[in-house]
mmCIF file of all heavy atoms in Angstrom:
data_model
loop_
_atom_site.group_PDB
_atom_site.id
_atom_site.type_symbol
_atom_site.label_atom_id
_atom_site.label_comp_id
_atom_site.label_asym_id
_atom_site.label_seq_id
_atom_site.Cartn_x
_atom_site.Cartn_y
_atom_site.Cartn_z
ATOM 1 N N ILE A 80 -21.138 0.130 -3.417
ATOM 2 C CA ILE A 80 -20.600 1.502 -2.986
ATOM 3 C C ILE A 80 -20.414 1.596 -1.495
ATOM 4 O O ILE A 80 -19.355 1.965 -1.019
ATOM 5 C CB ILE A 80 -21.326 2.646 -3.592
ATOM 6 C CG1 ILE A 80 -21.222 2.641 -5.126
ATOM 7 C CG2 ILE A 80 -20.779 3.851 -3.034
ATOM 8 C CD1 ILE A 80 -22.067 3.705 -5.826
ATOM 9 N N LEU A 81 -21.503 1.298 -0.808
ATOM 10 C CA LEU A 81 -21.483 1.501 0.597
ATOM 11 C C LEU A 81 -20.548 0.601 1.324
ATOM 12 O O LEU A 81 -19.793 0.994 2.287
ATOM 13 C CB LEU A 81 -22.919 1.486 1.285
ATOM 14 C CG LEU A 81 -23.892 2.550 0.784
ATOM 15 C CD1 LEU A 81 -25.298 2.228 1.315
ATOM 16 C CD2 LEU A 81 -23.314 3.911 1.189
ATOM 17 N N THR A 82 -20.553 -0.632 0.906
ATOM 18 C CA THR A 82 -19.494 -1.662 1.499
ATOM 19 C C THR A 82 -18.028 -1.167 1.290
ATOM 20 O O THR A 82 -17.397 -1.312 2.246
ATOM 21 C CB THR A 82 -19.790 -2.992 0.769
ATOM 22 O OG1 THR A 82 -21.202 -3.364 1.092
ATOM 23 C CG2 THR A 82 -18.859 -4.019 1.406
ATOM 24 N N GLU A 83 -17.854 -0.801 0.104
ATOM 25 C CA GLU A 83 -16.425 -0.322 -0.160
ATOM 26 C C GLU A 83 -16.110 0.901 0.624
ATOM 27 O O GLU A 83 -14.963 1.214 1.016
ATOM 28 C CB GLU A 83 -16.149 -0.120 -1.571
ATOM 29 C CG GLU A 83 -16.121 -1.538 -2.377
ATOM 30 C CD GLU A 83 -15.105 -2.454 -1.645
ATOM 31 O OE1 GLU A 83 -13.935 -1.976 -1.502
ATOM 32 O OE2 GLU A 83 -15.626 -3.525 -1.329
ATOM 33 N N ALA A 84 -17.157 1.873 0.895
ATOM 34 C CA ALA A 84 -16.885 3.087 1.549
ATOM 35 C C ALA A 84 -16.573 2.705 3.071
ATOM 36 O O ALA A 84 -15.726 3.348 3.611
ATOM 37 C CB ALA A 84 -18.224 3.948 1.579
ATOM 38 N N LEU A 85 -17.209 1.658 3.656
ATOM 39 C CA LEU A 85 -16.984 1.330 5.006
ATOM 40 C C LEU A 85 -15.536 0.665 5.042
ATOM 41 O O LEU A 85 -14.809 1.009 5.984
ATOM 42 C CB LEU A 85 -17.874 0.229 5.492
ATOM 43 C CG LEU A 85 -17.619 -0.415 6.803
ATOM 44 C CD1 LEU A 85 -17.565 0.737 7.957
ATOM 45 C CD2 LEU A 85 -18.737 -1.393 7.122
ATOM 46 N N ARG A 86 -15.162 -0.169 4.178
ATOM 47 C CA ARG A 86 -13.897 -0.771 3.958
ATOM 48 C C ARG A 86 -12.850 0.323 3.930
ATOM 49 O O ARG A 86 -11.802 0.281 4.649
ATOM 50 C CB ARG A 86 -13.672 -1.753 2.943
ATOM 51 C CG ARG A 86 -12.342 -2.476 2.779
ATOM 52 C CD ARG A 86 -12.263 -3.370 1.519
ATOM 53 N NE ARG A 86 -13.311 -4.199 1.455
ATOM 54 C CZ ARG A 86 -13.325 -5.302 1.958
ATOM 55 N NH1 ARG A 86 -12.329 -5.742 2.847
ATOM 56 N NH2 ARG A 86 -14.340 -6.168 1.862
ATOM 57 N N ASP A 87 -13.076 1.509 3.187
ATOM 58 C CA ASP A 87 -12.139 2.487 2.926
ATOM 59 C C ASP A 87 -11.917 3.381 4.265
ATOM 60 O O ASP A 87 -10.747 3.723 4.666
ATOM 61 C CB ASP A 87 -12.681 3.426 1.855
ATOM 62 C CG ASP A 87 -11.739 4.652 1.697
ATOM 63 O OD1 ASP A 87 -10.606 4.470 1.008
ATOM 64 O OD2 ASP A 87 -12.116 5.615 1.927
ATOM 65 N N GLN A 88 -13.050 3.488 5.063
ATOM 66 C CA GLN A 88 -13.106 4.174 6.333
ATOM 67 C C GLN A 88 -12.114 3.345 7.390
ATOM 68 O O GLN A 88 -11.287 3.800 8.075
ATOM 69 C CB GLN A 88 -14.338 4.144 6.935
ATOM 70 C CG GLN A 88 -14.587 5.010 8.131
ATOM 71 C CD GLN A 88 -14.555 6.523 7.885
ATOM 72 O OE1 GLN A 88 -14.167 7.072 6.829
ATOM 73 N NE2 GLN A 88 -14.964 7.224 9.003
ATOM 74 N N TYR A 89 -12.245 2.027 7.288
ATOM 75 C CA TYR A 89 -11.528 1.255 8.175
ATOM 76 C C TYR A 89 -10.049 1.208 7.865
ATOM 77 O O TYR A 89 -9.105 1.156 8.686
ATOM 78 C CB TYR A 89 -11.930 -0.278 8.231
ATOM 79 C CG TYR A 89 -12.972 -0.573 9.352
ATOM 80 C CD1 TYR A 89 -14.357 -0.824 9.229
ATOM 81 C CD2 TYR A 89 -12.468 -0.577 10.748
ATOM 82 C CE1 TYR A 89 -15.291 -1.056 10.248
ATOM 83 C CE2 TYR A 89 -13.432 -0.851 11.795
ATOM 84 C CZ TYR A 89 -14.755 -1.061 11.513
ATOM 85 O OH TYR A 89 -15.586 -1.247 12.548
ATOM 86 N N GLN A 90 -9.749 1.171 6.532
ATOM 87 C CA GLN A 90 -8.389 1.168 6.029
ATOM 88 C C GLN A 90 -7.705 2.526 6.463
ATOM 89 O O GLN A 90 -6.607 2.484 6.670
ATOM 90 C CB GLN A 90 -8.345 1.071 4.486
ATOM 91 C CG GLN A 90 -8.785 -0.428 4.058
ATOM 92 C CD GLN A 90 -8.847 -0.431 2.536
ATOM 93 O OE1 GLN A 90 -9.106 0.520 1.862
ATOM 94 N NE2 GLN A 90 -8.737 -1.683 1.978
ATOM 95 N N THR A 91 -8.373 3.616 6.438
ATOM 96 C CA THR A 91 -7.787 4.841 6.767
ATOM 97 C C THR A 91 -7.563 4.861 8.293
ATOM 98 O O THR A 91 -6.436 5.349 8.791
ATOM 99 C CB THR A 91 -8.959 6.010 6.603
ATOM 100 O OG1 THR A 91 -8.912 6.060 5.118
ATOM 101 C CG2 THR A 91 -8.215 7.324 7.021
#
Side-chain angles (χ1 to χ4, degrees):
I80 291 176
L81 293 178
T82 299
E83 289 309 306
L85 176 59
R86 185 185 303 279
D87 183 71
Q88 186 80 348
Y89 265 114
Q90 287 173 337
T91 297

